[in-house]
Amino acid sequence: MSLSLEQRCVHTIRTLSMDAVQKANSGHPGMPMGMADVAYVLWTEFLKHNPKNPKWDNRDRFVLSAGHGSMLLYSLLHLTGYDLSMEEIKNFRQWGSITPGHPEVGITPGVETTTGPLGQGFANGIGMALAEAHLGARFNKGDQNIIDHYTYAIVSDGDLMEGVTQEAASLAGHLKLGKLIYYYDDNKITIDGSTDLAFTEDVQKRFEAYGWHCIPIDGHDRDAIRKATKEAQSVTDKPSLILCRTHIGFGSPNKQDTAGSHGSPLGDDEINLTKKEYGVDPEKTFHIDDDVLDFYRKAVDKGAEAEAAWNKKLDAYKSSNADLAEEYTSIMSGGIPKSWNEVLPVFDADAKGMATRKASGLVLDAITEKIPALLGGSADLTGSNLTKAQSASILQADNYGGTYIHYGIREHAMGAMMNGMALHGGVIPFGGTFLVFSDYCRPTIRLAGLSHIPSVFVFTHDSIGLGEDGPTHQPVEHLAALRSMINVKVLRPADANETAYAWRAAIENNKGPSCLVLTRQNLPTLDRTKYASAEGTLKGAYTLNPNDKDPKAIIMSTGSEVEIALKAHEMLKTEGITTRVVSMPSFELFEAQDEAYRNEVMPKAIKTRVAVEAAVPMGWEHYTGSRENVVGMTSYGASAPFETLYENFGITAEAVAKKVKAQLA
Amino acid sequence: MSLSLEQRCVHTIRTLSMDAVQKANSGHPGMPMGMADVAYVLWTEFLKHNPKNPKWDNRDRFVLSAGHGSMLLYSLLHLTGYDLSMEEIKNFRQWGSITPGHPEVGITPGVETTTGPLGQGFANGIGMALAEAHLGARFNKGDQNIIDHYTYAIVSDGDLMEGVTQEAASLAGHLKLGKLIYYYDDNKITIDGSTDLAFTEDVQKRFEAYGWHCIPIDGHDRDAIRKATKEAQSVTDKPSLILCRTHIGFGSPNKQDTAGSHGSPLGDDEINLTKKEYGVDPEKTFHIDDDVLDFYRKAVDKGAEAEAAWNKKLDAYKSSNADLAEEYTSIMSGGIPKSWNEVLPVFDADAKGMATRKASGLVLDAITEKIPALLGGSADLTGSNLTKAQSASILQADNYGGTYIHYGIREHAMGAMMNGMALHGGVIPFGGTFLVFSDYCRPTIRLAGLSHIPSVFVFTHDSIGLGEDGPTHQPVEHLAALRSMINVKVLRPADANETAYAWRAAIENNKGPSCLVLTRQNLPTLDRTKYASAEGTLKGAYTLNPNDKDPKAIIMSTGSEVEIALKAHEMLKTEGITTRVVSMPSFELFEAQDEAYRNEVMPKAIKTRVAVEAAVPMGWEHYTGSRENVVGMTSYGASAPFETLYENFGITAEAVAKKVKAQLA
């Protein structure tokens, strides 16, 4: 066997990937085969990681943005000694395995983020690098650089075409994230064929325009990969893009450089031919030479040493910076100090009241100093979303320690970067835009739900209540669309005090994203001596008027329409009809309560139920039994002052009272 | 009065905009004030349009992508003689006016597309320019260039930051759309403040990297605007971006060049000062000098002449190209020839069957030659979506007459470009991606719904049924999320024949977008001698087994789960329980039927109802009365062969039968 150890190490990534895809009869062999040289150099010579502790704070982050090439990552994880057995490789894409079709964070040790939907990993990585820069600025003291790592990613032409990538790349350049190093798998092939079909832009020039440092290389020249990586590391004020000209399906006599190697198994015959081309035994499957495994597994000792050295550094840091070290430990372990919620403001009853976005801003003013992990921002709607706490300073390239990010008009990158920041750890990201633009970042909310990422989305201007901006800006279907997502908490508070509790629910939800849905217009701050405590918000729904005994009907509502529900209640009262008013800021929290509580709030015996919400009725039928019992929107909105809109679209107390009476009749 | 007529013409746009925003006490004065010079030059010296016939086929298209500057457009429309009265200007942003907060196509004569959500207009315009290039290639003969117009747009820094813009810009460069001329309002100000906060990339270099021709100018130098526009027109193989350095809130002594002039009325005092600065009478509001109006209104005669000349050209064309002219007339008036649906394939009963995406591909093969307006494409999933008819050739810069577009991995741009193409007229656009990526183009589906644009979205791989690619690619909430949208038709056919009818419903829906939701996996082709005709698809829902009299329960389902519903029916039959099976490919079409039909399919008397769909239950409660009566998904999916997934997630005939029996018990 005349092949060098290095060459066999590289080929092993290729053969494992081919074999696993073939066995699964499903998957993407071409990318791992094409990027094996890059992956080998990066993972054995540069990546600082500890396979036995994939959660080590100061590890380099590696993101496989081209998530379809998951077998590249699984091969690396197995080879370098992560808790990912050969059995799992053989169970690639099978029920119960930890080797799903696309990498999923939380499922597989060493997987930093869930990828597959293109562009997401690219932008997640930028969030990770930003979190690193931010934490470094806050905690590093002189040479006591306890947070000091790179964020690497492998990205594909598909990633580069996606809008989310382009948004995030521009912001990364603006923020001069010098420790971000991305390898572009420039293989000239997409699913449809040659990239010439649709992608002929000058990628290098584009990234230079964004402020990146670009290094074009032959992606199979390992010396060039080494040199480029070192060069990228040496450029500290710009993100780096190493453009690696590669061959998809490298070495496959009939499928290299074709879309045929992209998304399907090569087939036994072609695998055979390819292994022969590599000079390895075609009879062996899932084979790893002993010396190859030994070489890769050096990562285990190396990683342990690296972490030990870091632990020593951290100990020294703790001695010399006790307070900072305490804060560091706290934020890296979740970031929510005990009794933080004691500072949540309590708002006095006030008929004029305030917008819930305003209350949200006041909550942020109060909690920002208590929760140092908070890292806020807005997609260029700071003054509208009211997401900037007064004490927050702006995070910029010359002030990475700032706690407020101007994302620009880039909702999608904001969401994906928040996800990356949360996954990095040490920060609790939140970001604002208008509710209607939740559509622009929807894929990131989904991935946060799937990946249990506690990003907090602040969605203001939440209905026709925003008025004159008109139907392009008036969400109608967005509440239903967000509620349809799994593991996503939607919170639409009815007044200032519910807003404080909604923030509490969002901060304390560490299992997935939360969406705060807030008004532009003022809402009365309810008199809690008359109505039940807003603490009921934490249970998702609660009875506002428990003292009105023997109600004949339940009127349920959220947010700005609770005021209408209460008015309908009063109107009906004058006619001798007692109703219960249920404020229901979060369907998801309510469904998480036990049956006893749910029955207490909505007794089964009370069949007369009307819901009112300035949105499509979908989702309410579960509580009202029928769509007809919902006062909601059945069309897009319109441009006019909001009072006119409520009147004209029939979102009124009269309409609610009428429906109650019709049902009772 | 020493101001030139030209200067007064320009200032009139500014004063009308200031006054209207002030009267509405809402809106965005700064952009119209900043871009008035550009707008004046473009609209009086270059734009080929006919104010008295805003629908003239060969008009230049003008898109105000920065839709918040709507008063710029409304001013121009009023001044140049469109059917937009001064009363409407004075009713800016009020109920019932045709001057909504952001421009809406179909509401206001002369508005080409709905804008406001940033980036959309930018990409719509690219769709329009592509439709122009396509139709020109197909119909122009020598100098008989009956389709030959420019597409202009005014775009903002917000547009340029949005991902959808970046996707579309890259594709426009690739496609060498030389008649696309965009003016970038480079005013250095966003809502949050200076663009330096988040947007410091080299825009010119980026667009050059995309293959655009860039011309940086002073946006208040009208000679420079003229010269740049001519230069842009002379560059015929590249889109042009004219970077206009402007001052937002131009002339406002205290608010020029500040975010304060962006999104709020200037205030009476500041308007007063600004008018003085302009040298116009501050006492007059909504004022237009007579000679200014006369000058602008020349557009009416000029437009009539231009259209008359074109009509003459068209007449000559008709004489010399009778067949082509007939096709031209047909496609410009909707593009659906009578009896086109006769060619829809009929599929024989087949237990093995085929995937509905496959059936869709066969439908496209059949109808493509019958409907010459069809212009298909995919976001790089051609072989998966099966969207390319065999007879379709690829549209590229050297073959604009092609009828299939490789959009690249750019779902958002695809949707927005389809909307632009449909609005241009002459084409019926459809485009494919996976259902899970409907999230990536969701803002475009919404705008199609709001604007009554008949774009057809082909969403394949529609459930856990796609198998091994796993939860990142498995839609779970997307059916509910799409159904929550207003004026969007969602069609999920159950077999090959329903697929043909679903395409028919989509083609015949000219009032809004349609979403075809199709499987990756094979489905049996139902035996229509045993079951009712698939024509019931056109009514949204229909009884598959009307001959099973006196059913005790209704089992309803869509798409791939209809097979499961039928199995449950058979299982229950063996136990002596008669059930009705309702196939329900489209909630929206069903809701559009009269009550008699809806009661016929789902008699009120039959209270036992179970739905089965491999998706979240939301939305089904309207038909089943309760979420508990739905067999669906309550979590994200997983990676495994699809049969394993159905079994493990409990989407089975057994589960359906059990729920029916539980209810009957």
Side-chain angles (χ1 to χ4, degrees):
Chain A
M1 189 176 291
S2 62
L3 290 176
S4 68
L5 172 61
E6 179 172 308
Q7 188 58 64
R8 284 182 289 120
C9 282
V10 174
H11 281 333
T12 300
I13 295 173
R14 295 183 171 128
T15 53
L16 281 179
S17 299
M18 285 192 290
D19 288 342
V21 170
Q22 189 64 35
K23 179 153 193 291
N25 197 26
S26 169
H28 302 74
M31 186 283 216
M33 293 162 74
M35 285 300 280
D37 292 294
V38 169
Y40 166 83
V41 172
L42 176 61
W43 277 63
T44 63
E45 300 177 26
F46 291 95
L47 194 73
K48 180 181 66 182
H49 63 133
N50 183 0
K52 297 303 175 201
N53 180 14
K55 292 286 175 199
W56 172 31
D57 287 357
N58 198 40
R59 70 192 181 277
D60 289 338
R61 269 46 169 194
F62 173 79
V63 173
L64 186 74
S65 187
H68 55 272
S70 53
M71 266 313 302
L72 177 75
L73 183 50
Y74 300 149
S75 299
L76 292 164
L77 293 172
H78 174 72
L79 289 167
T80 57
Y82 283 79
D83 189 10
L84 182 86
S85 69
M86 183 57 89
E87 278 315 295
E88 294 290 347
I89 300 277
K90 291 181 181 172
N91 269 323
F92 180 50
R93 294 184 156 228
Q94 303 309 305
W95 181 262
S97 79
I98 61 167
T99 46
H102 294 80
E104 292 176 47
V105 64
I107 300 285
T108 318
V111 169
E112 298 281 3
T113 181
T114 302
T115 54
L118 289 167
Q120 300 297 332
F122 187 107
N124 293 159
I126 292 175
M128 292 175 188
L130 185 55
E132 192 269 350
H134 171 72
L135 294 169
R138 284 175 59 177
F139 293 104
N140 293 344
K141 290 290 158 197
D143 63 349
Q144 291 187 312
N145 49 340
I146 53 170
I147 286 291
D148 181 14
H149 67 77
Y150 290 100
T151 300
Y152 298 102
I154 289 178
V155 307
S156 63
D157 31 56
D159 288 306
L160 298 195
M161 283 188 251
E162 288 287 2
V164 60
T165 285
Q166 308 201 36
E167 295 177 8
S170 177
L171 190 53
H174 170 79
L175 292 171
K176 302 182 194 293
L177 296 172
K179 288 195 207 154
L180 189 77
I181 300 177
Y182 280 11
Y183 300 86
Y184 164 35
D185 178 18
D186 182 13
N187 62 29
K188 307 286 184 207
I189 292 294
T190 68
I191 293 177
D192 275 5
S194 163
T195 50
D196 284 348
L197 288 173
F199 188 55
T200 50
E201 61 171 59
D202 184 337
V203 170
Q204 176 170 344
K205 186 169 178 177
R206 167 152 72 93
F207 274 78
E208 285 171 355
Y210 290 139
W212 288 50
H213 179 73
C214 291
I215 315 170
I217 61 167
D218 172 354
H220 299 295
D221 177 343
R222 292 190 288 271
D223 279 335
I225 298 165
R226 285 179 187 104
K227 203 168 144 250
T229 305
K230 282 177 192 155
E231 179 181 328
Q233 291 184 340
S234 75
V235 176
T236 59
D237 62 346
K238 287 181 177 186
S240 289
L241 186 71
I242 303 175
L243 300 94
C244 309
R245 181 67 182 94
T246 60
H247 297 280
I248 191 170
F250 181 89
S252 163
N254 299 300
K255 296 197 172 173
Q256 173 178 311
D257 295 324
T258 73
S261 70
H262 170 84
S264 317
L266 295 182
D268 286 326
D269 294 345
E270 188 67 16
I271 288 178
N272 220 296
L273 292 174
T274 306
K275 286 182 180 171
K276 281 184 190 157
E277 180 74 25
Y278 293 160
V280 304
D281 185 348
E283 297 301 312
K284 293 178 175 165
T285 58
F286 297 102
H287 175 75
I288 307 171
D289 287 342
D290 289 342
D291 58 343
V292 164
L293 192 62
D294 287 347
F295 183 82
Y296 273 116
R297 287 282 160 94
K298 286 182 182 170
V300 174
D301 285 348
K302 233 169 99 181
E305 282 161 27
E307 185 170 349
W310 179 81
N311 278 328
K312 224 169 134 182
K313 187 182 277 189
L314 186 63
D315 287 342
Y317 180 84
K318 283 178 178 169
S319 320
S320 48
N321 305 281
D323 288 353
L324 264 184
E326 195 179 324
E327 186 170 307
Y328 171 80
T329 307
S330 160
I331 69 167
M332 291 307 289
S333 60
I336 308 173
K338 279 208 175 68
S339 73
W340 71 275
N341 60 45
E342 287 171 2
V343 302
L344 280 170
V346 176
F347 299 91
D348 291 337
D350 179 4
K352 181 172 168 274
M354 68 176 78
T356 49
R357 64 175 171 141
K358 169 79 177 162
S360 167
L362 295 171
V363 168
L364 285 170
D365 283 341
I367 67 176
T368 290
E369 302 210 27
K370 196 80 184 177
I371 309 182
L374 282 174
L375 188 50
S378 165
D380 197 51
L381 288 168
T382 297
S384 299
N385 303 142
L386 300 173
T387 30
K388 187 183 166 301
Q390 289 192 2
S391 64
S393 69
I394 307 302
L395 187 157
Q396 290 288 2
D398 58 4
N399 182 34
Y400 286 129
T403 55
Y404 191 79
I405 301 168
H406 286 290
Y407 286 98
I409 301 151
R410 304 182 180 105
E411 300 82 5
H412 201 170
M414 177 174 73
M417 287 174 62
M418 290 204 295
N419 287 347
M421 287 187 256
L423 288 169
H424 181 280
V427 297
I428 300 173
F430 65 93
T433 185
F434 289 162
L435 178 58
V436 80
F437 300 132
S438 61
D439 280 349
Y440 274 64
C441 54
R442 192 169 164 86
T444 71
I445 306 170
R446 174 173 222 264
L447 282 166
L450 174 61
S451 308
H452 302 276
I453 304 172
S455 299
V456 179
F457 294 85
V458 180
F459 293 133
T460 70
H461 294 59
D462 71 347
S463 75
I464 52 170
L466 65 85
E468 291 89 344
D469 268 348
T472 55
H473 286 56
Q474 287 162 357
V476 173
E477 73 278 22
H478 298 77
L479 279 166
L482 290 173
R483 288 174 184 147
S484 74
M485 299 176 101
I486 287 171
N487 194 31
V488 174
K489 290 214 175 10
V490 181
L491 298 141
R492 188 171 187 243
D495 76 347
N497 286 305
E498 280 197 10
T499 305
Y501 281 104
W503 263 108
R504 180 165 156 189
I507 294 289
E508 292 178 351
N509 172 22
N510 59 6
K511 295 193 174 55
S514 302
C515 300
L516 290 156
V517 176
L518 306 170
T519 65
R520 171 178 188 254
Q521 75 274 27
N522 284 347
L523 304 181
T525 305
L526 299 182
D527 179 354
R528 299 292 171 167
T529 62
K530 181 173 174 190
Y531 298 113
S533 162
E535 193 170 358
T537 301
L538 298 175
K539 294 188 170 178
Y542 64 105
T543 304
L544 279 172
N545 56 337
N547 296 329
D548 286 318
K549 301 296 179 195
D550 289 326
K552 297 291 168 283
I554 302 174
I555 305 174
M556 48 189 105
S557 187
T558 76
S560 40
E561 286 72 64
V562 168
E563 183 184 2
I564 292 172
L566 288 168
K567 267 189 204 145
H569 161 82
E570 296 296 339
M571 287 170 63
L572 289 163
K573 201 172 193 175
T574 63
E575 301 184 41
I577 302 167
T578 305
T579 59
R580 163 172 292 188
V581 180
V582 172
S583 180
M584 198 162 177
S586 173
F587 288 23
E588 299 81 17
L589 287 177
F590 185 58
E591 291 302 319
Q593 305 307 311
D594 60 25
E595 203 185 339
Y597 180 76
R598 284 184 282 130
N599 283 338
E600 183 191 320
V601 175
M602 295 194 200
K604 285 202 174 119
I606 309 182
K607 302 275 186 212
T608 301
R609 297 168 168 210
V610 173
V612 54
E613 185 172 69
V616 298
M618 184 186 276
W620 280 106
E621 303 97 329
H622 181 59
Y623 303 105
T624 63
S626 148
R627 195 178 300 165
E628 282 67 42
N629 301 333
V630 186
V631 174
M633 294 290 292
T634 54
S635 72
Y636 290 101
S639 280
F642 76 91
E643 302 90 339
T644 309
L645 295 174
Y646 273 85
E647 196 60 38
N648 279 285
F649 287 113
I651 315 288
T652 61
E654 289 74 13
V656 174
K658 199 173 152 191
K659 275 201 194 286
V660 170
K661 286 192 282 182
Q663 273 190 71
L664 288 174
Chain B
M1 192 176 290
S2 62
L3 290 176
S4 68
L5 173 61
E6 179 173 307
Q7 187 59 64
R8 284 181 291 120
C9 281
V10 174
H11 281 335
T12 301
I13 295 172
R14 294 181 171 131
T15 53
L16 281 179
S17 300
M18 285 192 292
D19 288 344
V21 170
Q22 188 65 34
K23 181 155 190 290
N25 196 25
S26 169
H28 302 74
M31 186 282 217
M33 294 162 74
M35 284 300 278
D37 292 292
V38 169
Y40 166 82
V41 171
L42 176 61
W43 276 64
T44 64
E45 300 176 26
F46 291 94
L47 194 74
K48 181 181 64 180
H49 63 133
N50 183 358
K52 296 305 174 201
N53 180 12
K55 291 288 174 198
W56 172 32
D57 286 358
N58 197 40
R59 69 193 182 277
D60 288 337
R61 270 48 169 192
F62 174 80
V63 172
L64 186 75
S65 188
H68 55 272
S70 53
M71 265 314 302
L72 177 75
L73 183 50
Y74 300 148
S75 299
L76 292 164
L77 293 172
H78 173 73
L79 290 167
T80 57
Y82 284 78
D83 190 10
L84 182 85
S85 68
M86 183 56 90
E87 278 316 295
E88 295 290 348
I89 300 278
K90 290 180 180 170
N91 269 323
F92 179 52
R93 294 184 157 228
Q94 303 309 305
W95 181 262
S97 78
I98 60 168
T99 46
H102 294 79
E104 292 176 47
V105 64
I107 301 286
T108 318
V111 168
E112 298 281 3
T113 181
T114 303
T115 53
L118 288 169
Q120 300 297 332
F122 187 106
N124 294 160
I126 291 174
M128 293 175 188
L130 185 55
E132 192 271 346
H134 171 72
L135 294 169
R138 285 176 59 178
F139 292 104
N140 293 345
K141 290 291 157 196
D143 61 350
Q144 290 187 313
N145 50 339
I146 53 171
I147 286 293
D148 182 13
H149 67 77
Y150 291 99
T151 300
Y152 298 102
I154 289 178
V155 308
S156 63
D157 32 55
D159 287 305
L160 298 195
M161 282 187 251
E162 288 287 1
V164 60
T165 285
Q166 308 200 38
E167 295 177 8
S170 177
L171 190 53
H174 170 77
L175 292 171
K176 302 182 193 296
L177 295 173
K179 288 194 208 155
L180 188 78
I181 300 177
Y182 280 11
Y183 300 86
Y184 164 35
D185 178 19
D186 182 14
N187 62 29
K188 307 285 183 209
I189 292 294
T190 69
I191 293 176
D192 275 6
S194 164
T195 51
D196 284 349
L197 288 173
F199 187 54
T200 49
E201 63 172 56
D202 183 337
V203 170
Q204 176 170 345
K205 187 170 178 176
R206 167 153 70 93
F207 274 79
E208 285 171 355
Y210 291 139
W212 288 50
H213 180 74
C214 292
I215 316 169
I217 61 168
D218 172 353
H220 300 295
D221 177 344
R222 292 189 289 271
D223 279 334
I225 298 164
R226 285 179 189 106
K227 203 167 146 254
T229 305
K230 284 179 193 155
E231 179 181 327
Q233 290 183 340
S234 75
V235 176
T236 58
D237 62 346
K238 288 181 177 186
S240 288
L241 186 71
I242 302 175
L243 300 95
C244 309
R245 180 67 182 94
T246 60
H247 298 279
I248 192 170
F250 181 90
S252 163
N254 299 300
K255 295 196 172 173
Q256 174 179 311
D257 295 324
T258 72
S261 70
H262 170 84
S264 316
L266 294 181
D268 286 327
D269 293 347
E270 188 67 16
I271 288 179
N272 221 296
L273 292 173
T274 307
K275 287 182 180 172
K276 280 183 191 160
E277 179 76 23
Y278 292 160
V280 305
D281 185 349
E283 298 301 313
K284 292 179 178 166
T285 57
F286 297 102
H287 175 75
I288 307 172
D289 288 340
D290 289 342
D291 58 343
V292 165
L293 191 62
D294 288 345
F295 182 82
Y296 274 115
R297 288 282 160 93
K298 286 181 184 169
V300 174
D301 285 347
K302 234 170 96 181
E305 282 161 29
E307 184 170 351
W310 179 81
N311 279 328
K312 227 170 131 181
K313 188 182 276 189
L314 186 62
D315 286 342
Y317 181 82
K318 283 178 179 168
S319 321
S320 48
N321 306 281
D323 289 355
L324 264 182
E326 196 179 324
E327 185 170 308
Y328 172 80
T329 307
S330 161
I331 69 168
M332 291 307 289
S333 60
I336 308 173
K338 280 206 175 69
S339 72
W340 70 277
N341 59 48
E342 288 170 3
V343 302
L344 281 170
V346 177
F347 299 91
D348 292 338
D350 179 3
K352 182 173 168 274
M354 68 177 77
T356 50
R357 63 175 171 144
K358 170 78 176 163
S360 167
L362 295 172
V363 169
L364 285 171
D365 283 340
I367 67 175
T368 290
E369 302 210 28
K370 196 79 183 176
I371 309 181
L374 283 174
L375 188 50
S378 165
D380 197 50
L381 289 168
T382 297
S384 299
N385 303 142
L386 300 174
T387 30
K388 188 183 165 300
Q390 290 193 359
S391 64
S393 69
I394 307 303
L395 189 157
Q396 290 288 3
D398 58 3
N399 183 34
Y400 285 129
T403 54
Y404 191 80
I405 301 167
H406 286 290
Y407 286 98
I409 301 152
R410 302 183 181 105
E411 300 81 7
H412 202 171
M414 177 174 74
M417 286 174 62
M418 290 204 296
N419 287 347
M421 287 187 258
L423 288 169
H424 181 279
V427 297
I428 301 173
F430 65 93
T433 186
F434 290 161
L435 178 58
V436 80
F437 300 132
S438 61
D439 280 351
Y440 274 64
C441 55
R442 192 169 163 85
T444 72
I445 306 170
R446 174 174 221 264
L447 283 167
L450 174 60
S451 306
H452 302 275
I453 303 172
S455 299
V456 179
F457 294 84
V458 180
F459 293 132
T460 70
H461 295 59
D462 71 346
S463 75
I464 52 169
L466 65 84
E468 291 89 343
D469 267 349
T472 55
H473 286 58
Q474 289 162 356
V476 173
E477 73 278 24
H478 298 77
L479 279 165
L482 289 173
R483 289 174 184 146
S484 75
M485 298 177 101
I486 287 171
N487 195 32
V488 174
K489 291 217 175 4
V490 181
L491 297 142
R492 188 171 189 244
D495 76 346
N497 287 304
E498 281 198 10
T499 306
Y501 280 105
W503 261 108
R504 179 165 156 191
I507 294 289
E508 291 178 351
N509 172 23
N510 59 7
K511 294 193 174 55
S514 302
C515 300
L516 290 157
V517 176
L518 306 171
T519 65
R520 171 178 188 253
Q521 74 275 27
N522 285 346
L523 304 182
T525 305
L526 298 182
D527 179 354
R528 298 293 171 168
T529 62
K530 180 173 174 190
Y531 298 115
S533 162
E535 192 170 356
T537 301
L538 298 176
K539 294 187 169 177
Y542 63 105
T543 304
L544 279 172
N545 56 338
N547 296 329
D548 286 317
K549 301 297 179 194
D550 289 328
K552 297 292 168 284
I554 302 174
I555 304 173
M556 49 190 105
S557 187
T558 76
S560 40
E561 287 72 66
V562 168
E563 183 184 1
I564 293 171
L566 287 169
K567 267 190 205 147
H569 161 80
E570 296 296 339
M571 288 169 63
L572 289 162
K573 201 174 195 173
T574 63
E575 302 184 42
I577 301 168
T578 305
T579 58
R580 163 171 293 186
V581 180
V582 172
S583 179
M584 198 163 176
S586 173
F587 287 23
E588 299 81 18
L589 287 177
F590 185 58
E591 292 302 320
Q593 305 306 313
D594 61 26
E595 205 185 339
Y597 180 76
R598 285 184 281 129
N599 282 338
E600 183 192 319
V601 176
M602 296 194 200
K604 288 204 172 115
I606 311 181
K607 302 273 187 216
T608 300
R609 298 168 168 209
V610 172
V612 54
E613 186 172 68
V616 298
M618 185 186 276
W620 280 107
E621 303 97 329
H622 181 59
Y623 303 105
T624 63
S626 149
R627 195 177 299 166
E628 281 65 41
N629 302 332
V630 186
V631 174
M633 294 290 292
T634 54
S635 71
Y636 289 101
S639 279
F642 76 90
E643 301 90 339
T644 310
L645 295 174
Y646 272 87
E647 196 60 39
N648 278 285
F649 286 114
I651 315 287
T652 61
E654 289 74 15
V656 174
K658 196 172 154 192
K659 275 200 193 287
V660 169
K661 287 191 281 183
Q663 272 190 70
L664 287 174

